[in-house]
Amino acid sequence: MLTVGAAAGPRAKLQLNGVSRHFGAVQALAKVDLGIAEGEFVTLIGPSGCGKSTLFNIVAGLLEADKGGEVLLDGAAASLLGKVAFMPQRDLLLPWRNVLDNAILAAEIEGQPKRAARETARSMAADFGLKGFEGHYPQQLSGGMRQRVALMRTFMFDRDVMLLDEPFGALDALTRAMMQRWLLDIWSRYRRTILFITHDIDEAIFLGDRVVVMSARPGSIKLERRIELPRPRDPALLTTPEFNAIKRELLDAVEEESLKTFAAGAV
Amino acid sequence: MALLRLVLPLLLLAALWEGAVALLHISPFYLPPLRQVLGAIHALWPAYAQAFMVTLGEAVVGFVAGALVGVASAAAFHHARWLRDMLFPLFIASQTVPVIAFGAIVVLWFGNTLMAKAAIAFYLTFFPVTVNALAGMEAVDPRQVALLRSFGASRRDIWWKLLLPSALPRIFTALRLSAGLALAGAIVGEWFGASIGVGAMLLAALFNEQVVAMWAAILAAAAVGGTIFGVVALVEARLVFWRDEL
């Protein structure tokens, strides 16, 4: 049940082997090994400054890994830029584009005709709780809705692997809980491989097939925990003894790492 | 409603002018009554209309060229740091040459043509636009750029879909400022021997001590400036409707 740095079996969709990264004298990542199977939902938690964002930027193709490590998509090492759907912490919606036009941004950059992309977006709007708001501008929307537009943009960038960097971090607790259930629902329908960063252990367990805990800097995989809680998951799960047992176990690991970060004066 | 907001202050100003002249017994040498000024314009309407069109043309050509070159330079500077380090000091140095001195040279080069006046209007316009457009592009959130790159965006995509629209609010701030500068440039250009145009009229009135004609020329100049400014403001309202929300 408890494996460290293991691959996700033979059919890894995304495979990281010994991925490290330096920034000058600072080592942000140290030999990260992580495999994600097709259609799997993996959540990643770790203390602040553990290199999660560095890891994400590498997987998104925005940063190069140090020599010696490799990132394989479908078993092949190639530039990842434009191959995975990346959603950063902030929604980063463009204020001069309405909901539909923000959602089609990635599709448009890919060269899809705007009209066709808008039609697709229109048909997806209901799934994303945006029906009736297609013509609204971001500044007219609530935080939860803005985040759904950003997620729709990520889904419309039709890639097998999705990287979500604390997408619900800025939302209030109630909105956040709703968005989590909604994301699971969407995921079960669109079936993508997801790597999801969060600070929130509850969120990590509630969403993931597997929770990966990162160590303090230099970041590496401290432990992986498969979450065998039944799906579909509902909020009542959060109070079950099974859930709490997993939480206890993960909390210990995360706290140990947070303390290391704290002692190093990084927080 | 918008029209009323525009017309009302003008009417107020006109009433103030007329009232002040009548009540305070201001000598017509200092400030002739507005009626008289408008009457002069009315009497020579074709001449004033022509002057208006000529000066507007000069200012607009220089203004549009300055805006385009300003945005293009900003894009180039944003793109290539070395280009910026090399050329930006020259841009600044160019602005230390007084516009009058520059005007004399330009008239030597282009003669008494529309191009000469447009060149001076251009000279005054492109610099504020460059500076503001560059500031706008530099202020773009790097995470926003990273997001577009993760979608596989080319530099061209990033420029058209992100950098340019992001810089628009600041570009328009510069354009509103430059509207008046372009007009000033065109008028200064006309002072070097032009026979038609608002600036030429102003100078002729000054030499002949025709106070009413001077004021009429000033009103015509204000009309040119107001027209450019108005068009800029209209375009801005359409393109940068999201500005207040930032």
Side-chain angles (χ1 to χ4, degrees):
Chain A
M1 184 69 56
L2 217 105
T3 52
V4 176
R11 273 179 85 277
K13 182 80 194 165
L14 182 71
Q15 179 70 47
L16 282 72
N17 293 327
V19 171
S20 306
R21 172 73 200 200
H22 287 79
F23 294 101
V26 178
Q27 181 156 29
L29 290 178
K31 295 213 174 296
V32 172
D33 296 307
L34 178 65
I36 301 175
E38 179 136 31
E40 195 180 14
F41 197 138
V42 172
T43 50
L44 188 83
I45 48 178
S48 305
C50 73
K52 290 182 298 231
S53 293
T54 305
L55 182 68
F56 252 45
N57 284 329
I58 288 172
V59 176
L62 294 167
L63 265 182
E64 292 283 322
D66 288 347
K67 280 202 169 49
E70 56 176 5
V71 183
L72 305 175
L73 186 66
D74 289 318
S79 168
L80 290 156
L81 212 52
K83 301 239 175 77
V84 297
F86 168 65
M87 177 172 162
Q89 278 174 32
R90 289 187 48 216
D91 56 60
L92 298 176
L93 299 177
L94 301 175
W96 54 87
R97 284 175 172 248
N98 64 21
V99 165
L100 278 192
D101 286 353
N102 263 297
I104 67 167
L105 179 65
E108 197 184 310
I109 286 170
E110 271 188 288
Q112 276 185 42
K114 269 194 189 184
R115 185 194 286 263
R118 284 206 188 102
E119 275 320 302
T120 315
R122 213 182 290 281
S123 67
M124 288 169 80
D127 271 356
F128 286 77
L130 294 163
K131 191 138 195 70
F133 291 91
E134 292 91 340
H136 282 55
Y137 285 87
Q139 47 279 17
Q140 300 169 302
L141 303 177
S142 68
M145 291 183 93
R146 293 175 62 113
Q147 219 57 26
R148 287 201 294 269
V149 178
L151 274 164
M152 186 163 150
R153 180 182 61 198
T154 314
F155 273 88
M156 280 202 68
F157 187 54
D158 205 351
R159 296 294 180 274
D160 299 336
V161 178
M162 285 180 45
L163 292 177
L164 308 180
D165 188 359
E166 289 191 64
F168 309 143
L171 303 178
D172 65 84
L174 286 176
T175 312
R176 189 175 192 165
M178 259 173 49
M179 293 286 289
Q180 289 167 356
R181 267 174 289 150
W182 168 84
L183 177 64
L184 286 182
D185 183 45
I186 286 280
W187 172 67
S188 68
R189 262 185 280 163
Y190 289 79
R191 219 62 200 180
R192 302 280 171 79
T193 307
I194 295 184
L195 181 58
F196 185 108
I197 287 189
T198 176
H199 268 113
D200 179 342
I201 295 185
D202 284 0
E203 183 170 78
I205 303 168
F206 184 69
L207 294 176
D209 290 322
R210 193 151 49 104
V211 177
V212 175
V213 180
M214 277 185 83
S215 68
R217 202 165 66 198
S220 60
I221 306 298
K222 183 179 167 75
L223 74 81
E224 294 181 40
R225 174 72 158 83
R226 192 157 286 286
I227 310 295
E228 315 227 283
L229 301 168
R231 292 186 189 271
R233 295 179 182 166
D234 71 86
L237 193 70
L238 292 162
T239 50
T240 58
E242 296 94 313
F243 187 94
N244 279 321
I246 300 171
K247 186 174 174 180
R248 183 73 263 152
E249 184 186 323
L250 290 174
L251 213 48
D252 286 342
V254 173
E255 260 173 15
E256 193 185 320
E257 294 308 315
S258 293
L259 281 174
K260 276 188 211 163
T261 311
F262 190 71
V267 178
Chain B
M1 199 53 213
L3 199 68
L4 198 69
R5 275 218 317 262
L6 197 72
V7 170
L8 212 59
L10 283 180
L11 286 177
L12 198 71
L13 195 68
L16 215 66
W17 184 338
E18 277 292 316
V21 170
L23 290 175
L24 304 175
H25 304 293
I26 297 174
S27 152
F29 182 76
Y30 293 112
L31 187 64
L34 179 60
R35 264 174 304 123
Q36 221 176 326
V37 176
L38 291 177
I41 294 176
H42 182 73
L44 282 171
W45 178 252
Y48 280 99
Q50 190 193 22
F52 171 87
M53 290 310 291
V54 165
T55 304
L56 182 67
E58 296 159 354
V60 165
V61 170
F63 178 74
V64 170
L68 293 178
V69 169
V71 173
S73 317
F77 290 169
H78 179 74
H79 211 66
R81 187 87 211 178
W82 60 270
L83 202 65
R84 177 182 177 173
D85 292 343
M86 202 169 75
L87 289 184
F88 203 64
L90 281 179
F91 272 45
I92 294 170
S94 79
Q95 297 299 304
T96 61
V97 179
V99 65
I100 292 279
F102 185 75
I105 295 162
V106 164
V107 172
L108 274 180
W109 286 347
F110 294 98
N112 194 3
T113 59
L114 183 143
M115 279 314 292
K117 291 94 177 180
I120 302 168
F122 165 85
Y123 169 79
L124 291 177
T125 303
F126 84 94
F127 186 69
V129 175
T130 305
V131 172
N132 277 277
L134 187 60
M137 289 172 203
E138 308 273 282
V140 170
D141 189 339
R143 288 172 296 188
Q144 191 71 263
V145 178
L147 178 72
L148 261 69
R149 283 186 47 216
S150 83
F151 294 147
S154 63
R155 290 184 145 192
R156 199 195 165 91
D157 288 328
I158 291 174
W159 154 255
W160 282 108
K161 294 185 199 301
L162 180 62
L163 295 179
L164 180 63
S166 300
L168 277 182
R170 291 194 204 209
I171 291 174
F172 272 99
T173 302
L175 287 180
R176 276 189 279 147
L177 185 78
S178 298
L181 290 174
L183 171 62
I187 286 177
V188 166
E190 288 175 5
W191 287 350
F192 292 91
S195 51
I196 319 170
V198 171
M201 279 186 139
L202 197 64
L203 209 60
L206 186 67
F207 283 146
N208 299 324
E209 288 191 41
Q210 293 170 318
V211 178
V212 173
M214 271 174 62
W215 282 99
I218 289 173
L219 282 194
V224 175
T227 303
I228 302 176
F229 190 92
V231 170
V232 169
L234 276 179
V235 175
E236 181 179 16
R238 284 209 60 114
L239 283 183
V240 201
F241 58 92
W242 44 273
R243 174 187 196 131
D244 296 342
E245 323 287 346
L246 268 185

